[in-house]
Amino acid sequence: MTTLPPAQTERQPQTQRQGRLRRTVAALLLGSTVLTAPALAGWAASQAQQNATPPAVTMVQDAPASFADLAAKVSPAVVNIAATQEAKAEPKAQRGPGVPGFPPGSPFEEFFRQFQDQMNRNGGPNGGDQDDQDQGPRGKTGALGSGFIIDPAGYVVTNNHVIDGASEITVTLQDGTAMPAKLIGRDAKTDLALLKVKSDKPLPAVDWADSDKTRVGDWVMAVGNPFGLGGTVTKGIVSARGRDIHSGPYDDYFQLDAAINRGNSGGPTFDLSGHVIGINTAIYSPNGGSVGIGFAIPANLAKEVVAQLKESGKVERGWLGVKIQEVTPDIADSVGLPTAKGALVADVTADSPAQRAGLHQGDVVLSYAGKPVNNLRDLTRNVAETKAGDTVDLKILRDGREKTVPVRIDRLSDQPQVASADTGNGKGSAEHEEVAPVKGLKLAPLDRAARKRLGIGDDVQGVVVTGLSSSVEVPVRPGDVIERVGDTEVKSPADVRHQVTEAEKAGQKALLMLINRQGNESFVALKLKA
């Protein structure tokens, strides 16, 4: 069974994992749901026997005899979306512009390019001529997707990548009525868009569910427009919650056992009450086809974004002003945490709410506004959902002690500030290398000659790593500058050795080090062996 690669942090990208993700994740102009579970009843019964699960909580008992009534109830509110885009001519040998809806370098971008090229060579699915990306009149292309009406006045929700860059958008109802649509607003970070159509009469609409109450194993049903075929109903279960597929900073997807097909993008997934629990957006696939792993944006995330789009046409998010990285087990040991939870502050942006509140590099954020921070996404989502001007309490761990820091959140601008630093080529080696390595690290003072060879500015202070022994396990490399070991700034190899020795005497399992790599600062944990 194929599984998603482990989550990656923004501060510590892993090329191999990203490469694998590009080969395996298809961003929808696909869609999400052909949910089948022919063996589910037998499996659930077997599990119930093995685990002695009381019949009262056996999920199979909730399965309807038919989804027909549910389909008849919600299908009129599901629409097909056709978006016409102006084609941009370019030589085949050149790499084209970024894929609409995804930032340059996104894991989705390369996959979609390859997928689209393959579909163009094949003339569409099964040799057909209608697809998510069709050649229309000369100089134009067409995209097909799905959406759903959330207001009888004609407001329609879909994915941003379905309509991004479109000069014309057409919404077609279940009865075949086609209407031009106006783009009210869109949000690339969550891949959501809101459209508006005019109608002489109220349109059928559906309501949002409280997706926080959706459980793994719940039955779901999806309706969409796969391959431009029109209203198609599929069913299945929720396979997992809280999936991070590295499409953006606010990933929090439902995983469905769904065969997601091209054209289902932006279509809804319903609970058995007919409420929308999610918006079908992506699939996980090694070959571009469905393997029964689909992803949907949860309703509670989507409805907040849609409400802002409806009100102002844009989304405003809170801004804290920190760069954060994952707390690994080794880092947890080095800062005195019993478990690897929280978000480690790797850098604090100048003149930011975090700096004004007194947050420091090396602080570990444990909770935000009373909500636990178990991973990076918990913090980024909670900050984003905070209104500018609100003051929230952050519980942090600093120097082994917990403390509460109040922070007044600012508004995230379209081009947020980031911490800046001089960059260098990271090449070369320093002279005056210390003879005896420290825990496998060959170190040297950061003198003028070393700075010149490594391209390191005078604003960076520390000790340069000139080499590694074969046994070293810390994730550093030659050219890195160790700025701090534990809570102490270091300026010589002897300083590093002293801090390591003291930590070993204190019985520490690991020691936190702040390193500077080509202008970017991050923390690493140095394992200490007895």
Side-chain angles (χ1 to χ4, degrees):
M1 180 179 67
T2 307
T3 57
L4 279 171
Q8 303 171 25
T9 70
E10 192 171 327
R11 291 284 300 168
Q12 294 178 312
Q14 299 188 23
T15 304
Q16 182 178 5
R17 289 177 181 170
Q18 289 180 341
R20 180 169 55 193
L21 190 63
R22 291 190 183 99
R23 294 193 299 271
T24 57
V25 178
L28 283 188
L29 286 185
L30 304 178
S32 117
T33 31
V34 176
L35 307 180
T36 59
L40 183 61
W43 176 86
S46 172
Q47 289 295 105
Q49 286 185 351
Q50 291 178 19
N51 300 324
T53 304
V57 297
T58 301
M59 297 299 295
V60 171
Q61 292 184 353
D62 296 332
S66 171
F67 285 84
D69 290 340
L70 178 59
K73 173 183 176 181
V74 301
S75 291
V78 182
V79 301
N80 301 338
I81 295 176
T84 302
Q85 302 165 333
E86 297 295 333
K88 295 182 180 180
E90 61 175 350
K92 291 184 178 180
Q94 295 182 1
R95 182 179 179 86
V99 175
F102 303 107
S106 161
F108 286 156
E109 183 183 13
E110 183 61 29
F111 181 93
F112 186 79
R113 290 182 189 281
Q114 297 172 3
F115 192 90
Q116 183 176 351
D117 289 346
Q118 183 64 44
M119 295 307 296
N120 289 340
R121 287 193 296 270
N122 294 342
N126 301 321
D129 59 0
Q130 187 171 12
D131 200 55
D132 267 358
Q133 292 288 333
D134 290 334
Q135 293 297 326
R138 188 174 183 84
K140 293 185 177 182
T141 61
L144 297 178
S146 305
F148 55 99
I149 303 170
I150 59 166
D151 188 317
Y155 287 95
V156 177
V157 175
T158 187
N159 280 141
N160 176 63
H161 72 255
V162 171
I163 54 81
D164 189 35
S167 56
E168 299 176 11
I169 304 172
T170 302
V171 168
T172 303
L173 305 181
Q174 185 188 39
D175 63 6
T177 302
M179 297 175 287
K182 176 184 177 182
L183 176 62
I184 300 299
R186 62 190 185 90
D187 180 48
K189 288 184 172 65
T190 54
D191 195 17
L192 292 169
L194 182 66
L195 311 176
K196 177 71 163 61
V197 296
K198 292 183 179 180
S199 175
D200 297 333
K201 59 182 180 180
L203 298 174
V206 290
D207 296 322
W208 298 105
D210 181 356
S211 59
D212 287 344
K213 296 180 179 179
T214 301
R215 301 179 298 170
V216 173
D218 279 352
W219 285 98
V220 292
M221 187 190 77
V223 185
N225 179 32
F227 302 118
L229 294 172
T232 299
V233 176
T234 56
K235 58 91 177 173
I237 62 168
V238 176
S239 302
R241 295 179 55 102
R243 291 302 197 199
D244 180 3
I245 61 176
H246 309 291
S247 65
Y250 310 115
D251 281 14
D252 185 26
Y253 290 93
F254 284 133
Q255 180 184 325
L256 312 173
D257 67 340
I260 300 174
N261 294 297
R262 291 167 57 87
N264 277 112
S265 289
T269 291
F270 297 96
D271 62 19
L272 295 185
S273 299
H275 296 145
V276 177
I277 69 155
I279 302 172
N280 307 318
T281 301
I283 65 172
Y284 181 91
S285 172
N287 55 17
S290 172
V291 293
I293 300 178
F295 301 100
I297 303 169
N300 285 3
L301 173 61
K303 64 185 176 184
E304 295 297 330
V305 172
V306 169
Q308 290 195 52
L309 293 177
K310 185 176 180 180
E311 180 178 354
S312 62
K314 61 182 180 179
V315 177
E316 291 190 355
R317 293 185 169 90
W319 179 56
L320 177 59
V322 293
K323 291 182 180 179
I324 54 177
Q325 67 182 78
E326 179 185 5
V327 177
T328 65
D330 287 339
I331 289 178
D333 285 340
S334 66
V335 299
L337 280 173
T339 57
K341 292 184 178 181
L344 177 64
V345 177
D347 199 4
V348 178
T349 304
D351 194 28
S352 68
Q355 185 187 59
R356 291 192 289 271
L359 289 182
H360 298 164
Q361 279 184 326
D363 290 345
V364 179
V365 181
L366 303 176
S367 72
Y368 180 92
K371 300 177 182 178
V373 175
N374 295 318
N375 53 51
L376 305 186
R377 288 177 295 143
D378 288 342
L379 182 58
T380 55
R381 285 197 305 269
N382 286 329
V383 172
E385 293 170 0
T386 304
K387 293 182 179 179
D390 287 357
T391 298
V392 297
D393 287 338
L394 272 66
K395 181 186 289 185
I396 65 171
L397 181 71
R398 178 186 296 168
D399 300 333
R401 299 179 180 178
E402 292 186 5
K403 64 180 299 184
T404 299
V405 178
V407 182
R408 186 179 185 274
I409 300 300
D410 283 353
R411 183 180 67 86
L412 178 66
S413 65
D414 293 334
Q415 295 180 333
Q417 293 174 287
V418 296
S420 61
D422 292 336
T423 60
N425 56 23
K427 297 179 180 179
S429 60
E431 294 178 350
H432 311 299
E433 191 173 300
E434 186 180 10
V435 175
V438 180
K439 292 297 179 182
L441 303 177
K442 298 178 181 180
L443 306 173
L446 188 55
D447 56 18
R448 183 173 299 178
R451 290 181 185 277
K452 184 176 181 180
R453 278 190 292 273
L454 297 171
I456 297 173
D458 292 338
D459 58 326
V460 177
Q461 303 295 326
V463 180
V464 65
V465 178
T466 62
L468 307 172
S469 69
S470 58
S471 60
V472 69
E473 297 181 8
V474 67
V476 299
R477 64 193 187 197
D480 289 348
V481 176
I482 301 174
E483 297 183 326
R484 200 166 77 204
V485 179
D487 299 324
T488 303
E489 294 181 352
V490 294
K491 296 183 179 180
S492 69
D495 291 343
V496 177
R497 182 178 297 281
H498 176 72
Q499 293 302 316
V500 169
T501 300
E502 291 300 311
E504 288 180 325
K505 289 180 180 179
Q508 290 182 228
K509 296 179 181 179
L511 187 58
L512 202 64
M513 300 195 308
L514 177 65
I515 68 168
N516 187 307
R517 177 175 296 166
Q518 298 182 354
N520 294 315
E521 293 178 325
S522 64
F523 287 95
V524 299
L526 176 67
K527 290 185 178 180
L528 304 179
K529 297 180 180 178

